[in-house]
Amino acid sequence: MDKMIEVNDLSFSFGSGELKNTVLKNVDLTIHAGEIVIMTGPSGSGKTTFLTIIGALRQATEGNVCVIGQQLVNSSEYAKVKIRQQIGYIFQQHNLLKSLTAVQNVAMALEMHPGLSETQRLQRSADMLCSVGLDDRLYYKPDQLSGGQRQRVSIARALVGKPKIVLADEPTASLDKHSGQDAVGVLKKLAKEAGTTILLVTHDYRILDIADRIVELEDGIIK
């Protein structure tokens, strides 16, 4: 099975000198293609920092971080952009633009795919929203949607570009139990159908059953 994420001896710190705060300590983790991995751990353990490094949103300088065959430690901005184009992101607060409809929010993720016309982007986005059960909400704006529906829009946005990896940071934190389980159930179904790899960071022990594997990060160390 192909290794989509391979991390060896990764360390990461904020600040320097007396103000240096080491967040990640010699982390090792391998995730294979199509695998759904949940990372748990207390607040401040380094989970979100780890996710941003894997997603090429933060530069790491120590260790080895290979994502989709690309080395990200001390990598160029060009290399990081190429990786970002192959990753879908799901955030706790949805990060939807309030002035845009659901289908327009999803279509924004396809602007990094220059081979598609605007009509094609909107059609693919509408199809994706139908796949997450929002066929009757295509032209609703975020304020007209429930929390669970907004998270389904963000799932559609993450998957519409057919990414190889989806990174999710506390995707159920602002949802009730039913809405949260509903949203991650949709994510798992669609990701499994597409063979997409998922790394999901959460405190929500109600959704652990969607994972193929669970890892715990505590005090910057994988348990």
Side-chain angles (χ1 to χ4, degrees):
M1 192 182 293
D2 293 338
K3 295 176 182 178
M4 296 300 289
I5 298 171
E6 187 171 15
V7 178
N8 302 109
D9 209 25
L10 169 66
S11 294
F12 185 85
S13 302
F14 291 106
S16 59
E18 293 183 1
L19 298 177
K20 185 175 182 179
N21 177 25
T22 301
V23 181
L24 299 172
K25 306 167 187 174
N26 308 114
V27 173
D28 295 317
L29 182 65
T30 298
I31 300 176
H32 295 96
E35 201 175 8
I36 297 178
V37 175
I38 283 182
M39 177 176 282
T40 66
S43 296
S45 59
K47 302 186 303 298
T48 295
T49 298
F50 183 79
L51 210 64
T52 56
I53 290 172
I54 298 301
L57 300 172
R58 191 187 302 276
Q59 180 74 280
T61 57
E62 296 180 51
N64 174 71
V65 179
C66 195
V67 177
I68 319 175
Q70 173 66 51
Q71 176 59 245
L72 290 181
V73 172
N74 294 317
S75 59
S76 67
E77 184 60 27
Y78 174 78
K80 291 199 287 290
V81 168
K82 295 296 287 184
I83 289 298
R84 288 179 207 137
Q85 290 173 340
Q86 301 176 77
I87 293 178
Y89 302 90
I90 301 172
F91 303 98
Q92 176 180 337
Q93 298 301 329
H94 320 304
N95 289 6
L96 302 177
L97 293 178
K98 292 183 177 181
S99 61
L100 301 182
T101 63
V103 72
Q104 289 171 329
N105 265 289
V106 175
M108 283 190 65
L110 293 173
E111 291 184 0
M112 292 192 298
H113 299 259
L116 296 173
S117 68
E118 182 178 1
T119 300
Q120 289 172 318
R121 288 199 300 270
L122 290 171
Q123 184 59 57
R124 187 188 288 188
S125 299
D127 292 344
M128 195 72 238
L129 284 166
C130 290
S131 296
V132 300
L134 292 178
D135 42 305
D136 59 344
R137 296 289 188 272
L138 301 183
Y139 304 107
Y140 285 54
K141 292 183 178 179
D143 286 346
Q144 298 171 303
L145 301 172
S146 68
Q149 289 169 337
R150 287 195 293 271
Q151 196 57 291
R152 282 179 179 237
V153 174
S154 69
I155 289 169
R157 182 182 59 190
L159 293 173
V160 71
K162 300 178 181 178
K164 294 182 178 179
I165 296 172
V166 168
L167 301 176
D169 190 7
E170 299 283 3
T172 63
S174 59
L175 303 179
D176 61 40
K177 178 180 179 180
H178 175 73
S179 298
Q181 290 179 325
D182 200 34
V184 296
V186 168
L187 174 62
K188 178 178 181 176
K189 175 180 179 293
L190 295 175
K192 285 295 186 184
E193 289 172 357
T196 307
T197 303
I198 295 177
L199 175 58
L200 188 156
V201 161
T202 189
H203 284 106
D204 189 350
Y205 291 92
R206 301 170 301 184
I207 64 169
L208 298 186
D209 58 347
I210 74 157
D212 298 314
R213 183 158 51 103
I214 299 166
V215 297
E216 185 176 4
L217 188 69
E218 188 170 343
D219 294 328
I221 301 168
I222 294 275
K223 292 283 186 175

